[in-house]
């Protein structure tokens, strides 16, 4: 970890200490390649910080049954294709938009809906974390054995790259889930982070204990420098949802386009001309989630295109591999 990155993290921490640190703050300055391996309900999951770019985070999550997870070198396991896994997904969070914008299942070779992930991850990343002092940890911190009191506050065991760390030190935070309609509504949460590695973003222990609801997540292993066989998350292409409509002096094209395509260009290819002629068409855009309405001034369009000629609409994005043709021809 560079001295500059350590300083930057400490600056961010101090800047947010007056207002409450969040998981979003921690992950924005985290080391790419960091990973945590956790166990819950006989299932072991590896969570890997795959990419941090332009306020976007890509995570890789791979699960395997507990009985198959003995003596695994996790970095080599991922590099070899995670044999024995029961689930393998990649998902992207846009921290500025406050949304999970994409999720892809490697196991199913298909994209996955993100509504449930949004309902959990977006509030989780926004929770204000309040630091607990050592005295408060005796009263509010989690404990492996309820009622057990020692000379120092309890902390969970810590393993890094397969090696158990002796007497690990933790920064401990508490927070409370927002009041909503979920099972977590207004529940207190305690999280333990490695004090010696401030840019490591994952908690080694997370616990909710409130009435009948008891939940804890414990780390089995952790580390850094993990590389995925995937260089990026697979992307969906935009597609046209209907033919061009004329409305109030405008030609309107309707698209379904993932929100991570922020820049779209519209081309009209004259299929009747020899050789074919391509026009770059100016337009206004209205966006509602992934529904995009492209609105073109009809008079301006008439001056650019040849009347009576058949034209093909093409939309391209900032991604050079993304260009989609409309199945609907257009004759001005």
């Amino acid at each position: 970890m560079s001295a500059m990155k350590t300083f930057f993290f400490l600056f961010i921490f101090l800047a947010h200490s007056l207002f409450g640190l969040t998981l979003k703050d921690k992950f924005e300055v985290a080391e790419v390649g960091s990973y945590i391996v956790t166990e819950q309900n006989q299932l072991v999951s590896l969570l890997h910080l795959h990419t941090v770019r332009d306020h976007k985070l890509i995570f890789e999550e791979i699960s395997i049954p507990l009985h198959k997870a003995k003596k695994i070198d996790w970095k080599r396991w991922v590099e070899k294709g995670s044999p024995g896994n029961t689930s393998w997904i990649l998902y992207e969070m846009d921290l500025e938009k406050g949304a999970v914008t994409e999720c892809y299942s490697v196991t199913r070779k298909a994209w996955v809906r993100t509504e449930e992930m949004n309902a959990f991850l977006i509030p989780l990343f926004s929770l204000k974390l309040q630091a607990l002092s050592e005295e408060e940890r005796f009263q509010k911190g989690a404990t492996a054995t309820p009622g057990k009191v020692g000379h120092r506050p309890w902390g969970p065991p810590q393993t890094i790259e397969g090696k158990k760390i002796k007497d690990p030190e933790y920064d401990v935070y508490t927070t409370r889930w927002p009041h909503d309609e979920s099972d977590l509504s207004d529940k207190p949460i305690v999280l333990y982070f490695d004090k010696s590695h401030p840019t490591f973003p994952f908690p080694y222990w997370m616990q909710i204990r409130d009435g009948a609801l008891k939940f804890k997540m414990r780390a089995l292993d952790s580390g850094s420098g993990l590389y995925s066989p995937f260089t990026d998350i697979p992307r969906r292409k935009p597609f046209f949802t209907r033919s061009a409509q004329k409305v109030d002096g405008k030609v309107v094209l309707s698209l379904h386009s993932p929100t991570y395509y922020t820049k779209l260009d519209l081309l009209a290819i004259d299929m009747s001309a020899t050789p074919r002629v391509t026009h770059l068409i100016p337009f206004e855009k209205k966006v509602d989630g992934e529904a995009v309405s492209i609105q073109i001034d009809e008079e301006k369009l008439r001056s650019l295109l040849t009347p009576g000629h058949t034209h093909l609409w093409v939309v391209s994005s900032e991604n050079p591999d993304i260009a989609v043709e409309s199945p609907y021809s257009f004759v001005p």
Side-chain angles (χ1 to χ4, degrees), residues 1-15 21 25-26 28-31 171 194-200:
M1 177 177 63
S2 69
M4 180 61 71
K5 188 141 191 179
T6 301
F7 172 80
F8 183 61
F9 177 84
L10 292 174
F11 174 80
I12 291 291
F13 175 81
L14 291 172
L21 188 70
D25 302 323
K26 292 182 72 67
E28 283 196 302
V29 295
E31 295 281 354
D171 288 321
D194 186 354
K195 189 172 187 176
S196 302
H197 299 89
T199 61
F200 187 79

Side-chain angles (χ1 to χ4, degrees), residues 42-44 63-70 72 74 84-86:
Q42 299 297 304
L43 191 67
V44 174
S63 298
I64 187 172
L66 180 61
H67 69 274
K68 292 184 178 181
K70 308 298 183 184
I72 288 181
W74 295 103
N85 81 82
T86 54

Side-chain angles (χ1 to χ4, degrees), residues 6 30 32 46 53 63 82 88 91 93 97 101 168 188 193 212-213 230 246 263 279 284-286 300 314 316 332:
T6 301
V32 170
L46 179 146
R53 180 178 59 230
S63 298
S82 310
W88 188 344
Y91 54 93
M93 290 183 63
K97 293 178 179 177
T101 54
F193 295 93
L213 179 65
F230 298 92
K246 295 183 179 181
K263 183 179 182 299
H279 303 275
E284 295 180 353
K285 181 174 66 172
K286 293 185 178 180
K300 177 67 174 177
V314 176
S316 63

Side-chain angles (χ1 to χ4, degrees), residues 113-270:
R113 296 175 66 89
T114 61
E115 286 84 351
E116 290 187 8
M117 301 181 76
N118 271 313
F120 176 72
L121 289 174
I122 300 308
L124 179 65
F125 269 65
S126 302
L127 293 175
K128 303 291 185 178
L129 305 178
Q130 302 298 324
L132 288 181
S133 67
E134 189 167 293
E135 291 75 17
E136 291 174 311
R137 285 175 59 184
F138 276 114
Q139 301 173 7
K140 301 179 182 179
T143 57
T145 305
K148 184 178 180 180
V149 178
H151 296 293
R152 55 182 290 182
W154 176 84
Q158 185 181 109
T159 302
I160 300 178
E161 310 283 0
K163 297 180 180 179
K164 189 171 182 179
I165 304 302
K166 183 179 180 182
D167 297 327
E169 294 189 6
Y170 291 99
D171 288 321
V172 184
Y173 296 89
T174 185
T175 186
R176 187 174 290 273
W177 194 264
H179 188 74
D180 55 20
E181 301 299 321
S182 71
D183 292 338
L184 296 176
S185 178
D186 209 34
K187 299 294 189 294
I189 305 172
V190 179
L191 305 98
Y192 284 70
F193 295 93
D194 186 354
K195 189 172 187 176
S196 302
H197 299 89
T199 61
F200 187 79
F202 299 104
Y204 279 84
W205 183 277
M206 185 168 69
Q207 180 168 322
I208 302 168
R209 180 187 291 159
D210 185 74
L213 179 65
K214 292 180 175 61
F215 166 86
K216 67 180 179 182
M217 182 205 75
R218 67 184 185 97
L220 303 180
D221 205 346
S222 62
S224 58
L226 188 148
Y227 294 95
S228 171
F230 298 92
T231 57
D232 199 357
I233 186 171
R235 304 289 181 178
R236 290 171 292 150
K237 290 185 177 182
F239 60 88
F240 290 83
T241 57
R242 61 189 300 184
S243 60
Q245 308 292 307
K246 295 183 179 181
V247 181
D248 297 330
K250 295 183 183 297
V251 174
V252 180
L253 303 177
S254 299
L255 294 175
H256 186 96
S257 178
T259 58
Y260 42 76
Y261 296 126
T262 56
K263 183 179 182 299
L264 296 176
D265 289 323
L266 177 65
L267 307 174
I269 302 175
D270 190 334

Side-chain angles (χ1 to χ4, degrees), residues 257-303:
S257 178
T259 58
Y260 42 76
Y261 296 126
T262 56
K263 183 179 182 299
L264 296 176
D265 289 323
L266 177 65
L267 307 174
I269 302 175
D270 190 334
M271 306 298 288
S272 301
T274 304
R276 292 175 179 174
V277 178
T278 300
H279 303 275
L280 180 64
I281 308 299
F283 64 90
E284 295 180 353
K285 181 174 66 172
K286 293 185 178 180
V287 179
D288 183 9
E290 295 192 346
V292 178
S293 174
I294 290 178
Q295 303 187 1
I296 313 157
D297 182 87
E298 190 174 1
E299 185 175 339
K300 177 67 174 177
L301 187 63
R302 195 179 297 118
S303 69

